[in-house]
Amino acid sequence: MFDQYTESVLIFMLINVVLALSLYLPVSAGLLSLGQGGFMAIGAYTSSYLTVTFAWPFLAALVAGGLAAFLVGVIVGFPALRIKGVYLIILTMGFGEIVRVFFLNFERTGAASGLGGIPGHTTLPWLIAVVAVLLAGFWQLRRSRMGRAIAAVREDELAAEIIGINLTRVKIAVFAIGGALAGLAGGFYAHYASFIDPAQFGFHRSAEIFIMVLLGGMGNFIGATLGAVTVTLLPEVLRFLQDWRMTFFGTLLIVMMILRPWGLVGARR
Amino acid sequence: MLEQQVLNGVMLGSTYALIAIGYTLIFGVLHLVHLAHGEVFMVGAFAGLMAVRFAGGDVFMAIVFGLAAAAAAGALVELLAIRPIRRRKGHSLAPMISTIGVGIVLQEVVARTFGAEQVGFPHRMEATSWHVGTITVSSVQLLILGVSIVLMVALHLFVTRTRLGMAMRATAESASIAHTLGIRSERIVLLTFVIASALGGAAGVLVGLSFNAISPFMGIDMGIKGLAAMLLGGLGNIYGAMLGGLIIGMAEVLSVAYLASSYRDAFAFIIMIAVLLLRPRGIFGSLHHVEG
């Protein structure tokens, strides 16, 4: 249908959409994370280890990767109950770093030399289906009880608690489900890239996901999706600049924040 | 053995402290997590290297050059990437994204100019080392400690004894009240960036000298550790940042000596998270400065 280059760009774009949504979910409850790369690594490593070593079917491995990231998300979610704002951002950064160092030393998954020979199961139809389901889910969530609870927690925690919203449940749920989505994206990523190493999931990755959501605007999930598309396509469009494209990308980021400090589709609140 | 490890921890910790102070000054005045501070540190290290390589300078030249170059870089960051965004009163996290952009630019420009590989200072400047009982101290270690202490004392005196330092503290306390009292906050913000970046640049040269290897990508590692140190001490607290730096440095050195050395980078964060669980606002943290 597409040539290989277009297909790979589309696949990375859709994976990025899943990653952006994985961060948007906690963000919509006011919880910012700069450690989403860590969840992605957990999903990527878990699912690839299962397919490579135990020849698990793709779907089962993918789910297992998401589940592993979900469980870790529950654990990371607990500190998020007490720790807020900038403290939380840096704490999650630390979490991402811990995950990276863990896989850098974990012999069973190849440590620093990485894990290779991962079967290439990720295809475009798979990803289109997943993204479609996710977008529909986020659309539904907006108007649901849970969606309103999340918005209430973001706007005013204390008031939300007073009207009977279970803060603990909402916060841990958004953090863990967000983690699970990042883990899922990691599984897709690994089964397309066919080789993973810890360096791919470091601070750079977390920052990239962060940029997608903030560039798109934190107001709604469409913004996050748009941010993901922009962040994927920009470096491709800038390819003609060759060696200087990342410099240009960084500059563009600054300029965009100057021109549209509320994000591409962000609403002024 | 323990004495030696403690000494090494103090050396490493004092460089972390210098970086953490930079973060905390900027956070205190602007409520901004400056995610390119690690790259400013890296620019300082490269400027120091250039001074030694091309101008044939000595260690002090390297430190002065590193400090000056980082200060200039910091000023440019504020003028070009922070001020225009603050003027437009955008999302509170917009300047933070912008600093990620700055970090990418600085990294790439240095990598394109000097190559992406690690480089070292021309000749190992660790001229002499002394043995005191069971402890070995090298001249580079003494230099690191000496320069760090001098800079920290100078900062302390500046903040507590001068009018500008007072103005800086007032702006950190409340920018709007400071403004009403006639403090020109724009200048204070720029000054804060210059001081914070200069300290980071000096740390860059010191770290470059002690590891004898610098690379365009060294800013991330050091930056994250500096952030952890700032967080430990409590956001916006200079003395907290000093203590936080020492704790992180000590934790790292001791974990290498007595636990698994390959997990040294994770150990600092495990300590940070443990402390935050007990004191969610850091050791010296107050209720101020929580929301970013």
Side-chain angles (χ1 to χ4, degrees):
Chain A
M1 196 159 56
F2 298 109
D3 63 278
Q4 211 171 1
Y5 168 72
T6 316
E7 192 187 20
S8 79
V9 171
L10 284 175
I11 282 183
F12 285 127
M13 189 170 92
L14 292 173
I15 290 173
N16 280 342
V17 169
V18 179
L19 286 170
L21 291 176
S22 87
L23 177 56
Y24 172 75
L25 191 62
V27 160
S28 65
L31 304 175
L32 261 172
S33 156
L34 242 177
Q36 227 49 16
F39 291 115
M40 191 185 173
I42 291 168
Y45 268 102
T46 308
S47 61
S48 338
Y49 187 64
L50 292 174
T51 50
V52 170
T53 314
F54 300 106
W56 275 35
F58 179 47
L59 188 64
L62 208 59
V63 171
L67 209 62
F70 177 87
L71 292 176
V72 175
V74 172
I75 298 168
V76 182
F78 271 103
L81 294 175
R82 291 183 67 194
I83 294 165
K84 296 192 185 99
V86 171
Y87 284 93
L88 184 64
I89 294 178
I90 302 172
L91 184 107
T92 50
M93 228 163 120
F95 158 73
E97 197 64 5
I98 290 173
V99 172
R100 189 183 65 83
V101 173
F102 173 79
F103 283 115
L104 200 61
N105 293 290
F106 194 58
E107 294 294 338
R108 292 182 142 208
T109 53
S113 45
L115 185 63
I118 306 166
H121 287 304
T122 301
T123 57
L124 209 47
W126 261 105
L127 277 168
I128 292 172
V130 167
V131 168
V133 169
L134 278 180
L135 289 179
F138 272 87
W139 179 262
Q140 284 296 319
L141 183 69
R142 278 204 313 177
R143 310 244 167 268
S144 70
R145 269 179 76 90
M146 185 69 178
R148 287 174 203 278
I150 291 174
V153 170
R154 177 191 60 220
E155 294 301 331
D156 191 335
E157 247 177 49
L158 196 64
E161 200 165 22
I162 288 169
I163 59 170
I165 291 168
N166 187 337
L167 270 187
T168 310
R169 228 178 63 189
V170 170
K171 283 191 169 184
I172 292 193
V174 292
F175 221 89
I177 297 172
L181 290 182
L184 196 71
F188 277 119
Y189 174 83
H191 288 86
Y192 184 72
S194 85
F195 170 79
I196 51 173
D197 67 21
Q200 297 172 12
F201 308 105
F203 175 70
H204 267 298
R205 180 72 66 167
S206 298
E208 196 183 64
I209 301 169
F210 196 77
I211 289 171
M212 293 181 217
V213 173
L214 267 78
L215 190 66
M218 307 205 307
N220 61 52
F221 70 95
I222 305 285
T225 309
L226 202 69
V229 172
T230 313
V231 169
T232 322
L233 292 186
L234 258 184
E236 299 303 328
V237 174
L238 298 176
R239 219 167 251 284
F240 69 95
L241 294 167
Q242 292 173 350
D243 280 356
W244 292 99
R245 71 189 172 121
M246 281 318 283
T247 312
F248 196 75
F249 177 72
T251 314
L252 213 56
L253 211 56
I254 302 168
V255 172
M256 270 198 211
M257 283 296 119
I258 295 173
L259 296 180
R260 288 200 62 88
W262 289 89
L264 294 175
V265 292
R268 197 176 278 254
R269 269 198 278 131
Chain B
M1 261 317 269
L2 182 66
E3 303 95 293
Q4 181 74 52
Q5 302 303 344
V6 169
L7 187 73
N8 293 346
V10 170
M11 305 297 170
L12 187 64
S14 60
T15 56
Y16 288 163
L18 284 180
I19 303 170
I21 291 169
Y23 278 116
T24 225
L25 284 174
I26 291 173
F27 189 87
V29 170
L30 271 187
H31 287 204
L32 164 76
V33 181
H34 179 20
L35 286 176
H37 192 56
E39 275 67 39
V40 169
F41 156 92
M42 176 271 293
V43 166
F46 269 90
L49 177 70
M50 288 307 107
V52 176
R53 255 199 198 164
F54 296 126
D58 57 4
V59 179
F60 283 99
M61 269 270 272
I63 292 174
V64 170
F65 263 83
L67 195 139
L76 280 178
V77 170
E78 202 277 319
L79 290 173
L80 298 178
I82 306 294
R83 188 168 291 191
I85 299 175
R86 279 171 23 88
R87 281 243 172 87
R88 294 172 64 96
K89 302 208 189 312
H91 194 283
S92 59
L93 289 166
M96 194 164 145
I97 292 280
S98 165
T99 59
I100 297 180
V102 171
I104 296 174
V105 171
L106 288 178
Q107 241 174 53
E108 289 290 316
V109 168
V110 173
R112 294 282 156 259
T113 319
F114 299 106
E117 259 85 83
Q118 279 198 342
V119 281
F121 277 81
H123 48 87
R124 207 161 166 82
M125 295 181 159
E126 205 166 315
T128 41
S129 55
W130 298 277
H131 302 276
V132 186
T134 53
I135 305 175
T136 310
V137 196
S138 72
S139 51
V140 167
Q141 283 185 314
L142 281 185
L143 182 80
I144 290 176
L145 196 63
V147 172
S148 306
I149 289 176
V150 166
L151 288 176
M152 285 189 229
V153 169
L155 180 74
H156 166 78
L157 292 177
F158 170 77
V159 168
T160 53
R161 298 286 161 84
T162 65
R163 288 185 65 84
L164 268 177
M166 243 190 277
M168 210 158 129
R169 277 189 298 154
T171 313
E173 199 63 45
S174 165
S176 54
I177 294 177
H179 194 73
T180 331
L181 294 176
I183 291 168
R184 296 161 92 161
S185 49
E186 299 262 280
R187 284 188 184 185
I188 296 298
V189 168
L190 186 61
L191 179 74
T192 307
F193 263 82
V194 168
I195 294 175
S197 307
L199 293 178
V205 179
L206 295 178
V207 168
L209 282 171
S210 70
F211 293 127
N212 203 28
I214 61 179
S215 98
F217 307 105
M218 74 198 286
I220 298 178
D221 265 11
M222 290 301 280
I224 293 182
K225 278 184 195 145
L227 270 176
M230 157 175 90
L231 202 65
L232 262 185
L235 298 182
N237 188 314
I238 295 174
Y239 307 104
M242 294 178 187
L243 182 68
L246 281 183
I247 293 175
I248 297 274
M250 202 71 87
E252 205 175 307
V253 168
L254 291 181
S255 72
V256 171
Y258 299 106
L259 299 162
S261 66
S262 41
Y263 287 100
R264 58 183 287 179
D265 290 333
F267 202 73
F269 295 107
I270 291 170
I271 290 218
M272 174 186 89
I273 291 172
V275 170
L276 281 186
L277 286 175
L278 298 172
R279 282 192 64 84
R281 284 174 184 78
I283 297 168
F284 293 141
S286 63
L287 275 170
H288 299 300
H289 303 155
V290 176
E291 302 304 329

